[in-house]
Amino acid sequence: MDKILGFRWVILTLSATMLLILAAACTSTETVEVPGETVIVEKEVVKEVQVPGETVIVEKEVVKVVSGKSYVTDPANGKTVTAPQYGGTLTYPRTSDWPHADTHFHHHPGTLVSNVIERLGLANWATPTSEHDFIAAKNLPERILIGHLAESWEQTDTTTYVFHMRDDVKWEDRAPTNGRLLTAQDIEYNFNRYFALGKWSGGDKASLLTQYKVASVEATDDHTVVVKMEAQDLAALKALLQSPNPFIYAPEVIEEHGDAKDWRNLVGTGPYRLDDWIEGTSATFSRKVDYWNYDEKYPENRLPYIDETRVMIIPEAATQLAGLRSGKLDAVGMTFGSSMLKKPDQVASLSETNPELNIYPFGHRSETSLAFNSQKAPWSDIRVRRAMQMSIDLETINSSYWKGWGDVAPQSYFRRGMPWTTPYEEWSSELLGYYTYNKEGAEALLDEAGYPRDSDGIRFKATMHFSNKWDNTVYELLAEYMGKVGVEVEAIAADSASRKVLRQAGEHDLMSQGAAVDRWVNLFACFLPGLPNNVGNVDDPALIEIINNLSAASSVEEQHALITEASDHITEQHYTLFGGRVPRFHVTWPWVVGFNGEQQLGEMDRNQIWARLWIDQDLKNAMGY
């Protein structure tokens, strides 16, 4: 049976003599109100306490006890929560199935395998929320990344990275790895596959990681991997540690089966094993009791806490909400199967019917923004692009539809607060005017551009294709505002395949594209000609020059200056219509403990969060579930 060890729990069972010893030390108590009960908090500042037969070291301890129930303080945010406990089941929905289980071919399988297969680095779960809250931004700064499979690393010159692997990580104890230790050779094998090196050179380059120009990967011994880049790349270290693809698979599986697409062949180093995946229906994970890693917040506790996790494939929002209301689902959200709630009325309804639920709004980017096809008339005219932005009353949409939850302050293609964005308060009055609702100004610009109203009041007609994953009401509202200045826009929900065909043909007018993003590498994918994610069909020599200079940047300072220059240029050219940064919502039952709305601990590493959560089974039972 698993036990939660450490002084904060040991203290509850110490003898009366030990309690007297502690009482003689420097202590203080206070009363803390917890919903439904009063908690006495004992703060210990004893540095060393002698106990017969052992020495207990206490750096700073907080113990909370009510009727035999233990509480702890979350060191990241200072919240009082019930102490971690093992056991229980977590059930949540996912709106769509996974394509397969191999991240070599696509990053989406990462949301399936990231608790089975692991990577070299991971964000530090114990990072104080004052430094990074894991909520507003998915982009994880390099400064909060810590070793995972890699214990440490260093950069020995501008193009060389040396990774020192942990010596206590074992593969799952079943064929073909049979519980052997993870080695540096495993990393070399996987990296060569991802970067199309060695035996994969000139072959299948499906991995998105081939955009990083790696010259060689070598395991110099069982615990050391040396990666050499072809040229300096300031994004390389983070890509090696935590980009969406480089999960470390067992080489034996790849050798035997050719790839790792079939989940039945997965053998991992992670905290869970994938027991079952019924395509289109569900996936079930079970806890590995001998997992190598410990909780960063409570380092005496071996991870994971929850015994079993069930992911139910439920595309319909109404069915998800019914499951949540009934307690059959424990949580929904980005962290839980990308099942976040998207409509304010859903949240308002839940708040009324189930006020005990925890609701966490978040918004890392604008999903309601639109890219203009800048190579097609009338969108090739900057006056038309400016007019469309001026025609949208985002303040009214926010107050009337988003219930004030949205962030509609003017933003560039990059999200406000990023180190490479110019705050809108510093924009010129002319530029700020183009990002401010002004119906009359929009009409004047359209007249000036040569698009007067016809006798029926319509200047021209257009189509707006948006992702069918998102809230169609918002796009219909945007189209309605455009109609008020004489531009008749048909809003069309389309899947990714249909939108891709339109993009490739260059026939689209307006198309949904994430904006207010926090990943500067999007510049390379979204604004260089000919690339599939260049939704706006942008071909701008000035911007291309900035991006090329960015590739050759020799310092972070130079890099940030160039990103700022690119960001300002995109803002001035109005390649994207900013549609507001709209909140999405995580919702959990109170018995899901340790969660505060966090999105992920790494690219596609959402499952690593629920490996650090626990179920308060007593509370769940008391609530009748």
Side-chain angles (χ1 to χ4, degrees):
M1 185 175 79
D2 295 289
K3 296 182 180 179
I4 302 177
L5 303 178
F7 184 68
R8 57 173 55 86
W9 291 275
V10 172
I11 194 172
L12 303 180
T13 57
L14 291 177
S15 65
T17 302
M18 181 59 195
L19 292 176
L20 289 174
I21 293 173
L22 289 175
C26 177
T27 66
S28 63
T29 62
E30 61 178 306
T31 300
V32 176
E33 295 299 325
V34 176
E37 52 195 3
T38 299
V39 180
I40 304 300
V41 181
E42 182 83 9
K43 293 184 177 180
E44 294 294 344
V45 293
V46 180
K47 292 302 181 185
E48 184 173 303
V49 180
Q50 297 296 327
V51 182
E54 65 179 308
T55 299
V56 180
I57 304 299
V58 184
E59 293 181 359
K60 183 179 180 182
E61 198 50 71
V62 180
V63 179
K64 307 172 179 68
V65 186
V66 177
S67 304
K69 195 169 188 178
S70 299
Y71 291 78
V72 294
T73 298
D74 186 324
N77 55 40
K79 291 183 179 179
T80 298
V81 294
T82 54
Q85 55 186 269
Y86 292 99
T89 298
L90 175 70
T91 304
Y92 66 79
R94 180 176 169 83
T95 55
S96 61
D97 216 339
W98 302 271
H100 50 72
D102 194 340
T103 60
H104 172 71
F105 301 98
H106 201 282
H107 62 269
H108 284 168
T111 59
L112 171 69
V113 305
S114 62
N115 252 351
V116 179
I117 312 297
E118 299 181 295
R119 286 178 287 192
L120 269 61
L122 195 70
N124 185 358
W125 180 236
T127 301
T129 54
S130 59
E131 296 181 21
H132 187 84
D133 63 10
F134 296 98
I135 298 171
K138 289 175 68 177
N139 184 42
L140 300 167
E142 195 174 293
R143 58 182 166 77
I144 70 168
L145 295 182
I146 59 174
H148 198 55
L149 295 181
E151 189 168 42
S152 62
W153 57 84
E154 66 260 3
Q155 185 174 357
T156 56
D157 57 46
T158 57
T159 60
T160 305
Y161 299 91
V162 180
F163 297 93
H164 305 282
M165 307 309 299
R166 297 182 63 98
D167 61 6
D168 59 350
V169 177
K170 292 183 178 182
W171 292 96
E172 187 178 340
D173 190 11
R174 67 182 180 90
T177 53
N178 299 312
R180 70 170 177 82
L181 286 170
L182 174 82
T183 67
Q185 287 79 12
D186 296 330
I187 313 304
E188 176 187 345
Y189 183 95
N190 277 269
F191 275 10
N192 279 338
R193 181 176 182 238
Y194 285 121
F195 294 111
L197 300 171
K199 64 185 289 186
W200 286 277
S201 179
D204 182 7
K205 291 182 169 55
S207 171
L208 298 178
L209 285 173
T210 53
Q211 66 181 290
Y212 297 98
K213 305 306 180 185
V214 175
S216 65
V217 180
E218 181 185 4
T220 56
D221 59 43
D222 286 350
H223 304 293
T224 310
V225 180
V226 178
V227 179
K228 290 185 178 293
M229 309 296 295
E230 292 180 1
Q232 182 177 13
D233 185 342
L234 297 177
L237 177 60
K238 187 175 177 183
L240 295 168
L241 290 169
Q242 256 297 314
S243 59
N245 297 83
F247 288 88
I248 305 302
Y249 290 83
E252 295 94 324
V253 170
I254 309 298
E255 287 296 299
E256 182 176 346
H257 301 283
D259 57 45
K261 288 184 175 181
D262 190 338
W263 68 271
R264 299 168 186 82
N265 301 325
L266 291 182
V267 179
T269 60
Y272 285 85
R273 60 174 56 89
L274 179 54
D275 291 331
D276 192 26
W277 174 15
I278 304 172
E279 294 187 19
T281 302
S282 65
T284 304
F285 300 82
S286 63
R287 170 176 171 261
K288 287 165 58 177
V289 296
D290 58 349
Y291 177 54
W292 62 270
N293 201 13
Y294 290 77
D295 192 333
E296 295 85 357
K297 292 184 178 182
Y298 313 102
E300 62 274 26
N301 297 344
R302 185 186 291 272
L303 292 172
Y305 297 109
I306 296 171
D307 278 347
E308 183 180 74
T309 298
R310 298 172 185 159
V311 186
M312 313 301 296
I313 308 301
I314 306 176
E316 305 83 9
T319 307
Q320 291 181 13
L321 289 172
L324 192 62
R325 284 191 172 97
S326 65
K328 289 181 172 29
L329 298 175
D330 301 296
V332 299
M334 172 69 80
T335 309
F336 307 100
S338 296
S339 59
M340 55 279 189
L341 300 186
K342 307 178 184 74
K343 296 188 176 183
D345 58 350
Q346 294 173 335
V347 179
S349 175
L350 273 178
S351 296
E352 291 177 4
T353 60
N354 298 83
E356 67 274 32
L357 290 170
N358 295 323
I359 297 174
Y360 305 95
F362 69 96
H364 65 278
R365 65 184 178 190
S366 170
E367 301 289 358
T368 52
S369 290
L370 298 162
F372 299 103
N373 186 346
S374 60
Q375 299 300 310
K376 176 184 177 182
W379 318 111
S380 53
D381 191 324
I382 191 173
R383 293 170 294 184
V384 175
R385 301 197 296 268
R386 287 170 173 169
M388 292 298 93
Q389 184 70 65
M390 294 169 69
S391 74
I392 308 299
D393 187 353
L394 289 176
E395 293 286 353
T396 297
I397 293 176
N398 186 32
S399 60
S400 62
Y401 184 68
W402 293 326
K403 315 300 182 186
W405 276 315
D407 181 359
V408 297
Q411 298 180 43
S412 70
Y413 176 73
F414 294 109
R415 183 171 61 83
R416 281 190 302 111
M418 293 292 99
W420 48 77
T421 57
T422 301
Y424 77 90
E425 294 89 349
E426 299 178 15
W427 294 4
S428 69
S429 57
E430 179 185 2
L431 181 60
L432 193 56
Y434 295 136
Y435 283 84
T436 303
Y437 175 58
N438 183 348
K439 181 177 180 294
E440 291 74 20
E443 299 251 23
L445 277 176
L446 290 169
D447 288 339
E448 180 185 326
Y451 296 98
R453 287 181 182 265
D454 289 337
S455 57
D456 58 3
I458 298 174
R459 299 176 186 273
F460 58 85
K461 297 181 180 181
T463 55
M464 174 197 300
H465 290 86
F466 61 90
S467 171
N468 58 1
K469 296 188 302 182
W470 302 111
D471 182 2
N472 63 303
T473 304
V474 177
Y475 295 100
E476 291 167 358
L477 287 171
L478 296 179
E480 182 179 334
Y481 271 107
M482 293 178 189
K484 292 179 181 180
V485 298
V487 179
E488 187 177 289
V489 177
E490 180 184 6
I492 304 170
D495 59 26
S496 58
S498 300
R499 286 181 286 120
K500 180 179 179 181
V501 170
L502 284 170
R503 287 201 309 271
Q504 290 176 334
E507 297 175 353
H508 61 291
D509 292 312
L510 295 157
M511 186 171 288
S512 59
Q513 179 185 46
V517 301
D518 53 14
R519 295 184 180 92
W520 64 264
V521 293
N522 284 27
L523 286 172
F524 297 94
C526 300
F527 292 97
L528 290 178
L531 295 182
N533 287 332
N534 186 347
V535 181
N537 203 11
V538 177
D539 188 353
D540 183 335
L543 185 56
I544 293 170
E545 181 179 1
I546 298 170
I547 295 174
N548 287 339
N549 291 338
L550 179 58
S551 298
S554 59
S555 69
V556 172
E557 291 74 20
E558 182 184 0
Q559 185 186 63
H560 282 192
L562 287 165
I563 299 169
T564 301
E565 184 180 354
S567 175
D568 290 346
H569 185 82
I570 293 167
T571 304
E572 292 163 0
Q573 293 300 312
H574 293 264
Y575 289 127
T576 302
L577 183 147
F578 175 59
R581 210 165 102 220
V582 188
R584 306 299 184 217
F585 301 88
H586 304 286
V587 182
T588 67
W589 280 93
W591 57 71
V592 179
V593 187
F595 184 70
N596 300 282
E598 298 89 349
Q599 291 194 57
Q600 58 185 14
L601 287 181
E603 296 282 356
M604 298 296 130
D605 258 327
R606 298 166 193 164
N607 298 358
Q608 284 285 352
I609 287 181
W610 52 254
R612 289 156 172 78
L613 308 180
W614 56 94
I615 303 297
D616 185 338
Q617 197 62 50
D618 291 338
L619 178 59
K620 186 173 183 179
N621 293 340
M623 296 181 72
Y625 296 95

